[in-house]
Amino acid sequence: MKLNAVQVIDAFVRLGGTGEAAQGLAISQSAVIKSLHQAEHELDLSLVATVQGRLTPTPEAIELMRLARPALGSLRRARHEADMIRVGMADRLRIATVPGLAHSILPPAIAATRLALNDSAAVEVIFDHVRDHLAAGDVDLAISYGPIAIDGLLDVVLKRCPLVCVLGRPHPLAGLDALTHADLDGERLISYGPDGVSRSDSFQAALEQAGLTDRISITVRHTDTACHLAREGVGIAVVDGFVISSGLTEGLAVRPLEESPLVTAYAHHRDGAPLDRAAGILLDHLAGAAT
Amino acid sequence: MSALTPAHAAVLRAVDRCGTTVEAARELHLTQSAISKIVARSEASLGIAVFDRRDGRLVLRPQAHALMRALGAVEDEWRALRGSVADLRSGRALPLRIASTPSIGQGLIAQSIRRIVTEYPQARIELIMGDAPTELSQGSADLGVMFSPRVTDDIALTPLSHASIIALVREDDPLACRGSITLGDLRHRRLICFDREKSPLGWLIARAYEEAGLDYAPFMTVPYSISAAHLLARHGDVTLIDSLLTQAQRFDGLVKLEVTPTLPLTICLMTVRSRPLSRLAGRFVDILISGEKAD
């Protein structure tokens, strides 16, 4: 099976038509059609059907591309490894994170790890798809808001903390020592959407338990966006208390949410093989930074 | 510059295993110069030197160990993909999903399945007993075969064959020796039949009752002919069902009666106009339409 053919089928399936695939691949439509027919012949599969006068991917083409995803991903990873060698980062600490934790507990832990390794550790931080990256061996360590709980991966509880409210200092509620659920009535709330990775996302569970899930008007991916919007006076950011250990709330008022459920930060790594030194140090610092 | 391909990955891995281009060429049944060219081209496309050249040998550079592991994954994944293509071709990867009723399933469809499995012995087939138009609209079935269905514009109907409504009674029933009956003969009988709203057959029979000036009031409604036939053995006096069921299956102790005037049924194939069929489903449609039988 030729890579070029797979790339053409992929574009055809993803974009839904031969014209769209041609545009996406910057080749002519006739080249796309020729390549698809050639692939049909070589693979002995039906890939293209005419439906209501339009060339459309068949169920086989769609299924083939679903099955080809890991193969295309493996090529991307190999190219990425080569890129890392080229920029002198062949030996690096690779971390996957959900956006909510990326800018709170992670940066100080990375800084402390690099310090412990005499500034010699190259670090690659990858966002999202934490479980997939870990399972594929793309990363050494990952952090998220919940256990991944799949075979071969180990979940480590780092620390728990309550939800906090971040608001601009001029905000009338900034004068209070702590905010209650009732204080937040009528306020525009900013928070994270589900991370989409954890089996149970402790941040979303805390929001739910606090009765705030349906009250969020603006969802963001990153803590700094939430803090920035609060600084602009757009609303009150309801985030996890880990944010206090970062510099993101400088110039802002951070108030505890009374009777807040706890949010848990987790680290994850592959089970069986020992963590390499840099990852071990980072894990220690993550646990420490969260306390 | 050409991108790294799975074939290049295999060559780089072989060179790493063998240590020389000559050995790698032998292992992969290529020429030594072809191997050398691929190594050079791959290194150029990746933008890095993967091997150090030492005393006529190619030695993996220390920083390229993770890359070599990644190339191993490329080899494994593309090998798995080639296997998946064979599964798709054989019909094992994508099941043929047919929504129908038990009586059509046991007759017409069973014959066609017998035919298609001679051509696709490894094919996976899901026979779904449910409301075919709904299953098709939801995308949980590729094809539907039903009696005179009511469908939306996106579903194409192709008439396949004809049948009729028949009556079943127990063999000790006074009607059993009649051979044929009218709906009027069933006026005071306890009828097991279909719901007029939920079933196209129920709708058809109810309409025939109304045209005959009779009330359609089954005391028990069932979704399928086969349920009616099984229930008749214990409850009720008579059931009206499709004629396909008794062609496909024998029911001891029950007698089949023709209904006059005849209540004809059309068995229709249903496909979604906006959704292409897999090759397996397309072939099944050909078999159904042509009435091909297994050898």
Side-chain angles (χ1 to χ4, degrees), chain A residues 123-160:
Chain A
V123 179
E124 181 185 11
V125 180
I126 301 170
F127 275 39
D128 302 319
H129 308 294
V130 166
R131 181 178 40 209
D132 297 342
H133 286 308
L134 263 177
D138 294 346
V139 294
D140 307 298
L141 200 67
I143 53 173
S144 77
Y145 283 119
I148 291 179
I150 60 171
D151 280 350
L153 296 184
L154 207 63
D155 298 315
V156 181
V157 173
L158 293 174
K159 182 68 183 176
R160 296 182 170 89

Side-chain angles (χ1 to χ4, degrees), chain B residues 7-295:
Chain B
H8 292 173
V11 168
L12 292 175
R13 292 256 301 157
V15 171
D16 179 42
R17 268 194 309 276
C18 302
T20 66
T21 51
V22 175
E23 277 302 307
R26 196 169 298 149
E27 191 181 301
L28 297 177
H29 307 292
L30 292 170
T31 63
Q32 186 267 337
S33 71
I35 297 284
S36 293
K37 271 184 199 157
I38 291 171
V39 170
R41 204 174 299 157
S42 303
E43 289 188 325
S45 81
L46 292 170
I48 51 161
V50 179
F51 299 104
D52 284 328
R53 277 74 177 164
R54 271 188 235 146
D55 307 327
R57 294 186 72 79
L58 277 79
V59 181
L60 187 65
R61 297 180 72 207
Q63 55 270 55
H65 283 285
L67 171 65
M68 201 46 69
R69 277 197 300 278
L71 293 176
V74 171
E75 260 199 298
D76 294 345
E77 295 293 356
W78 284 80
R79 192 178 308 116
L81 181 59
R82 282 190 284 274
S84 301
V85 170
D87 285 347
L88 271 174
R89 204 180 294 131
S90 69
R92 201 166 45 221
L94 261 187
L96 166 61
R97 302 164 306 166
I98 310 157
S100 189
T101 67
S103 50
I104 298 174
Q106 289 175 16
L108 194 65
I109 291 178
Q111 289 160 15
S112 301
I113 287 177
R114 220 179 119 206
R115 178 76 183 93
I116 202 155
V117 294
T118 61
E119 291 176 32
Y120 290 87
Q122 295 178 313
R124 285 199 297 131
I125 298 168
E126 286 176 20
L127 202 46
I128 302 161
M129 293 303 153
D131 181 53
T134 308
E135 301 285 349
L136 277 178
S137 303
Q138 289 174 345
S140 45
D142 305 305
L143 308 171
V145 188
M146 283 266 292
F147 294 109
S148 316
R150 284 164 284 177
V151 295
T152 56
D153 287 350
D154 194 31
I155 294 180
L157 292 179
T158 312
L160 288 176
S161 65
H162 299 283
S164 60
I165 295 291
I166 57 156
L168 278 186
V169 293
R170 283 196 291 269
E171 59 190 3
D172 57 357
D173 192 294
L175 291 175
C177 57
R178 293 262 303 264
S180 74
I181 50 130
T182 65
L183 294 182
D185 295 331
L186 307 179
R187 189 187 306 264
H188 301 298
R189 309 301 294 263
R190 281 155 47 88
L191 181 67
I192 299 176
C193 209
F194 309 103
D195 186 286
R196 71 164 79 203
E197 297 299 328
K198 293 179 187 158
S199 154
L201 294 191
W203 180 81
L204 191 86
I205 295 167
R207 200 181 58 175
Y209 263 77
E210 279 161 15
E211 284 170 1
L214 301 166
D215 272 348
Y216 178 65
F219 89 103
M220 192 185 294
T221 57
V222 289
Y224 302 120
S225 296
I226 196 166
S227 322
H230 283 301
L231 285 165
L232 187 64
R234 288 177 176 274
H235 309 278
D237 296 339
V238 63
T239 183
L240 294 169
I241 59 167
D242 67 84
S243 57
L244 288 189
L245 183 66
T246 52
Q247 289 167 17
Q249 191 174 345
R250 239 185 65 195
F251 291 92
D252 290 335
L254 299 183
V255 175
K256 174 185 128 181
L257 305 170
E258 300 298 330
V259 175
T260 54
T262 305
L263 296 176
L265 299 173
T266 306
I267 299 147
C268 293
L269 166 71
M270 290 180 276
T271 49
V272 181
R273 291 182 207 278
S274 58
R275 203 186 303 147
L277 293 174
S278 67
R279 184 184 284 179
L280 181 65
R283 178 65 190 125
F284 190 76
V285 166
D286 291 344
I287 292 170
L288 270 177
I289 291 173
S290 67
E292 285 178 52
K293 299 233 163 49
D295 299 330

Side-chain angles (χ1 to χ4, degrees), chain A residues 259-284:
Chain A
E259 296 176 20
S260 166
L262 296 177
V263 178
T264 310
Y266 286 81
H268 319 276
H269 58 86
R270 281 185 302 285
D271 200 3
L275 274 179
D276 78 9
R277 184 161 170 253
I281 295 171
L282 178 68
L283 183 57
D284 289 344

Side-chain angles (χ1 to χ4, degrees), chain A residues 54-108:
Chain A
R54 190 179 150 79
L55 291 178
T56 311
T58 61
E60 285 97 326
I62 295 166
E63 181 65 6
L64 178 64
M65 282 308 101
R66 193 186 68 77
L67 295 166
R69 237 176 272 150
L72 291 169
S74 69
L75 267 179
R76 265 195 303 275
R77 280 194 292 278
R79 284 189 212 112
H80 180 68
E81 275 306 325
D83 290 343
M84 289 292 108
I85 296 171
R86 202 169 44 247
V87 296
M89 286 180 63
D91 185 22
R92 66 197 184 279
L93 173 58
R94 303 164 306 166
I95 310 148
T97 176
V98 293
L101 293 170
H103 300 156
S104 56
I105 62 172
L106 191 56

